[in-house]
Amino acid sequence: MMIDNESAPVRVVLYEGDGADPLDATDRAGVLRSLLDRGYMVSDARGGTGGALAASAGERCFIVIGQFGGGVAPRLEDGAGGAQIATCDISGLSPDAVLSAVENARDGQPMNQPGAWKPWFPVIDYDRCTNCMQCLSFCLFDVYGVDGDNQIQVQNNDNCKTNCPACSRVCPEVAIMFPKYAAGPINGEPVSDEDLSREKMKVDISSLLGGDIYSRLRDRSEAAKSRFSKERDSDKALGERKRCLTKLAAQGEIPEEVLASLPSPEEIARKAEEAKEKANAALAANRSSD
Amino acid sequence: MSERPPILYCRCAYAQVVPDAVKDGVLDGLCASGGGFDSVADLCEMSARKDPRLAAVAEGGPVRIAACHPRAVRWLFHAAGTPLGEDAEIVNMREGDADDALGELLGGEAKC
Ligand code: SF4
Ligand code: SF4
């Protein structure tokens, strides 16, 4: 589940200063690992340094954990009155038990859910981007738009189809990254000359595929689906469909969910036209301001 | 404790693209070092959500960030509307091993 942009989820502070016994390095690492893997942000406050993350205006909820001893945690209050601070004694607790204690202390405050959502969205390298609008014309899911200066922008992260890096393949400048992608340069590795020439060849992806990429993919997906429906109860049909889609996905790097959720041909035509108009309008505005 | 910029460690918890051995080794090394540090579950997730705390990192002066490919990390901050300063150093845990990354994080010089 996503939480909204304004609220900053709980931050855990591991306190080992005056009044608390220090943890040994292995225990410290165990506690951090279990909290981070659950999605918490954790500040290890040793040395009293603020670290890289000074408390920011949006932060309202802190949980201070430490080996305070005797099972009693001190009561803390924000002098300015804005933040809620809970404390937790973790003396003798295993990392899992620390996590449970923190979950209890969180008391329903907003929290993210690692695993429930994969942060998959295009990230533009503006050092490379030439504002050509190919990505805007290509994407059917309104992920891209332009800002007030007609500069390309990722506007609707949430619309992006998980694991689909297709738009990065359309970009002639290799400017679109998906940091969670497995391979370079899409994952953010430096772009080589070889990458660049390979991507330049793919500039007109629709002509490369011999027509409208979306119609073709959709036709093939429909064919796979109808074969499946005729042999509904057969494991063989299931296997066949899976093989067919896997092959398609492997060829075009388009995930099955995207193929399955492609809109109707009419809708595709309408959306493609809309995206093209938006791109053309932005390009024209950029030309006239040059 | 040596004078070094504050450290931010990214756990890449939402879709683990950083090898476990490297990210665990780096976390162990930071926990065994003499100073504190901040750590986040997943910088990609924070960028997608435009988490206001990214601004605290970007505007807080020199910082060393242990995450993945520097090009990706820089533009993730930019995408959140909080571009990193030139003095931010990014240590890539997707390449090399934990010792390399720790050397860059805790040593005098980090490359980005
Ligand atoms: S296709 Fe690439 S170069 Fe063209 S506007 Fe999109 S990101 Fe920029
Ligand atoms: S910034 Fe890199 S290391 Fe951090 S969550 Fe994103 S992909 Fe993973």
Side-chain angles (χ1 to χ4, degrees):
Chain A
M1 185 185 68
M2 285 279 287
I3 58 177
D4 68 61
N5 289 350
E6 274 76 39
S7 71
V10 177
R11 182 200 299 217
V12 178
V13 179
L14 174 58
Y15 177 77
E16 300 182 51
D18 286 351
D21 289 333
L23 280 74
D24 74 30
T26 311
D27 292 345
R28 189 180 295 126
V31 166
L32 259 77
R33 197 170 288 133
S34 69
L35 291 170
L36 288 167
D37 286 340
R38 171 65 188 83
Y40 285 97
M41 165 181 289
V42 189
S43 293
D44 166 353
R46 281 175 300 148
T49 52
L53 276 161
S56 65
E59 278 191 286
R60 302 231 154 58
C61 186
F62 298 85
I63 300 174
V64 179
I65 62 174
Q67 300 196 123
F68 299 112
V72 183
R75 290 183 66 83
L76 295 176
E77 269 176 39
D78 176 20
Q84 182 187 325
I85 306 174
T87 50
C88 235
D89 178 34
I90 60 165
S91 306
L93 298 186
S94 68
D96 284 349
V98 172
L99 177 59
S100 302
V102 166
E103 294 278 65
N104 283 338
R106 175 163 63 89
D107 196 22
Q109 288 295 321
M111 191 57 204
N112 291 316
Q113 309 283 335
W117 172 70
K118 182 171 180 176
W120 180 271
F121 54 95
V123 177
I124 299 176
D125 174 345
Y126 286 97
D127 282 347
R128 306 195 64 85
C129 173
T130 55
N131 218 22
C132 72
M133 304 292 160
Q134 295 260 1
C135 49
L136 194 156
S137 313
F138 177 79
C139 178
L140 287 177
F141 303 102
D142 299 322
V143 170
Y144 295 91
V146 289
D147 66 11
D149 297 324
N150 287 302
Q151 166 92 55
I152 192 76
Q153 218 182 23
V154 176
Q155 285 183 342
N156 297 305
N157 283 338
D158 291 357
N159 285 4
C160 190
K161 301 290 174 192
T162 303
N163 294 336
C164 176
C167 59
S168 68
R169 293 294 184 193
V170 190
C171 174
E173 307 299 334
V174 204
I176 299 177
M177 296 174 281
F178 288 87
K180 300 287 197 194
Y181 190 69
I186 294 175
N187 63 11
E189 267 175 23
V191 179
S192 67
D193 288 349
E194 198 189 320
D195 293 325
L196 197 55
S197 53
R198 194 168 50 231
E199 299 309 318
K200 283 235 191 262
M201 277 164 48
K202 288 187 184 167
V203 124
D204 189 351
I205 196 159
S206 47
S207 67
L208 192 76
L209 292 178
D212 181 334
I213 179 178
Y214 294 115
S215 315
R216 279 176 69 86
L217 287 174
R218 194 165 197 289
D219 288 350
R220 293 164 83 173
S221 177
E222 287 297 330
K225 268 188 223 155
S226 68
R227 184 174 345 182
F228 172 56
S229 63
K230 275 183 215 134
E231 298 171 274
R232 191 178 303 270
D233 299 324
S234 150
D235 283 352
K236 191 164 153 272
L238 259 177
E240 180 61 25
R241 178 175 187 234
K242 191 148 180 264
R243 262 196 303 282
C244 184
L245 285 171
T246 310
K247 197 168 155 207
L248 247 187
Q251 278 171 354
E253 295 191 1
I254 318 263
E256 293 172 24
E257 306 86 80
V258 179
L259 293 176
S261 68
L262 281 176
S264 68
E266 297 74 32
E267 182 75 347
I268 287 173
R270 191 182 63 73
K271 280 187 159 280
E273 197 49 44
E274 262 177 30
K276 206 160 109 194
E277 271 169 28
K278 260 201 256 176
N280 285 341
L283 285 171
N286 285 333
R287 269 196 300 273
S288 67
S289 68
D290 279 346
Chain B
M1 194 179 84
S2 64
E3 262 315 299
R4 48 131 179 100
I7 290 173
L8 179 68
Y9 167 88
C10 177
R11 182 71 181 163
C12 202
Y14 276 63
Q16 298 89 340
V17 298
V18 172
D20 283 348
V22 182
K23 68 181 184 183
D24 282 344
V26 170
L27 188 61
D28 289 345
L30 290 175
C31 285
S33 76
F37 60 99
D38 284 319
S39 50
V40 296
D42 195 293
L43 279 174
C44 285
E45 182 269 341
M46 291 175 80
S47 169
R49 213 162 29 75
K50 299 194 171 27
D51 191 309
R53 288 174 294 200
L54 292 176
V57 180
E59 292 158 11
V63 59
R64 284 184 184 163
I65 302 175
C68 59
H69 298 297
R71 194 166 70 96
V73 177
R74 281 203 179 275
W75 292 108
L76 275 167
F77 274 83
H78 184 277
T82 55
L84 280 173
E86 286 301 313
D87 48 7
E89 301 167 79
I90 298 158
V91 175
N92 187 354
M93 295 192 290
R94 245 174 132 165
E95 275 178 359
D97 60 20
D99 286 344
D100 296 337
L102 278 169
E104 290 182 40
L105 284 168
L106 300 171
E109 292 285 301
K111 296 191 178 63
C112 70

